[in-house]
Amino acid sequence: MKIEFMIPSIIVAIVIFIILLNVGRANYYDAKKEKFLMGSMFPYEMQDGLYYKYNWNVRFIALFLALALSLFAINAFDLTLQPNLSFLLIVMIVNAVIMMCLFFTTMRNATLHMILSIAHFGLTFITYATMANYVFFYNTVDYPLYLGIICVILVVVILLLFINPKLYKWMYMERQEENGTSTLKRPKVLLLATYEWIFMILTIVFDLLLTIVTLLM
């Protein structure tokens, strides 16, 4: 662990994520004159349109976010003889790349988008599960027991999110009546989009949690 590099890399990642949200929302508002709603809109929608002014800004910032998260993983888990930690390092880097791709891949390529989305959910779960497994069953001297407990709690939370039956009906629109006309509109909470944002935040939370724990050790 290289805490002197972990701290700046997680700070940079968080700052880039905040900038990404603000630039993306501004890009959407500039083009459509309406607010970007994270509960019902996908990350890629922040830059999905030829008439959006700042599309490449969003894409470059997403790329830098992936680089910052990958740099964090490299400094948090050097490639060692411990298979669990080496595996965790690879998972975190791949997950960071997939997060970036979710800002690029639109629903015009629905199959690829779904593959990336499911992979992101699964890798985030594996990140927490692998860390918990290492703390409890390998070497508790390296990391405190409470880190494993927190990871287990978040693993349970993620599992509960997975078994939400409404998740598998995310594509259904809401029927609304207006002036005697029935139309289908996107619901205020579109679960797949909401989940993508939740799992992105969970990915960053893991890095922040690991940094805090390392500082306190």
Side-chain angles (χ1 to χ4, degrees):
M1 294 176 290
K2 302 173 183 176
I3 189 62
E4 66 273 19
F5 295 110
M6 288 171 64
I7 294 173
S9 56
I10 185 58
I11 291 174
V12 168
I14 292 171
V15 169
I16 290 176
F17 187 67
I18 293 170
I19 292 172
L20 179 58
L21 293 182
N22 283 280
V23 172
R25 290 165 72 180
N27 195 34
Y28 185 88
Y29 184 81
D30 180 75
K32 296 203 170 185
K33 306 306 178 195
E34 61 183 43
K35 289 184 178 180
F36 183 91
L37 302 175
M38 293 175 69
S40 62
M41 296 176 180
F42 292 93
Y44 75 82
E45 291 183 275
M46 288 184 160
Q47 56 81 40
D48 182 33
L50 295 175
Y51 49 88
Y52 282 25
K53 188 183 296 184
Y54 306 110
N55 275 359
W56 284 106
N57 299 43
V58 175
R59 294 166 188 170
F60 276 123
I61 297 169
L63 169 62
F64 286 128
L65 175 63
L67 290 173
L69 292 174
S70 298
L71 181 63
F72 176 89
I74 290 168
N75 286 300
F77 302 108
D78 294 324
L79 285 171
T80 66
L81 295 177
Q82 174 46 251
N84 274 47
L85 298 184
S86 297
F87 172 72
L88 187 53
L89 167 63
I90 294 168
V91 166
M92 291 172 70
I93 292 175
V94 173
N95 201 16
V97 173
I98 288 175
M99 276 179 61
M100 176 191 69
C101 291
L102 287 174
F103 284 92
F104 287 73
T105 311
T106 73
M107 276 299 176
R108 286 186 289 278
N109 195 343
T111 300
L112 178 58
H113 186 95
M114 290 300 300
I115 290 171
L116 291 171
S117 190
I118 292 169
H120 177 48
F121 300 163
L123 291 174
T124 305
F125 171 81
I126 290 169
T127 298
Y128 281 100
T130 302
M131 190 76 249
N133 180 66
Y134 183 76
V135 171
F136 284 114
F137 300 108
Y138 282 81
N139 194 342
T140 54
V141 175
D142 289 351
Y143 296 100
L145 186 62
Y146 67 81
L147 174 61
I149 294 171
I150 294 172
C151 287
V152 167
I153 292 171
L154 289 171
V155 162
V156 173
V157 169
I158 292 172
L159 285 174
L160 291 175
L161 290 173
F162 283 159
I163 64 175
N164 180 359
K166 292 183 178 180
L167 174 62
Y168 306 99
K169 300 177 181 179
W170 69 269
M171 69 293 296
Y172 294 123
M173 299 293 102
E174 288 183 349
R175 186 174 297 278
Q176 297 181 0
E177 300 288 338
E178 188 174 342
N179 299 325
T181 304
S182 179
T183 58
L184 292 176
K185 292 188 177 181
R186 185 185 299 209
K188 290 182 179 179
V189 177
L190 190 65
L191 275 183
L192 184 63
T194 301
Y195 272 43
E196 287 183 10
W197 290 113
I198 288 174
F199 278 85
M200 285 183 183
I201 292 169
L202 281 172
T203 299
I204 295 172
V205 164
F206 178 82
D207 295 359
L208 181 60
L209 175 64
L210 192 61
T211 303
I212 294 171
V213 168
T214 306
L215 272 173
L216 295 176
M217 286 171 59

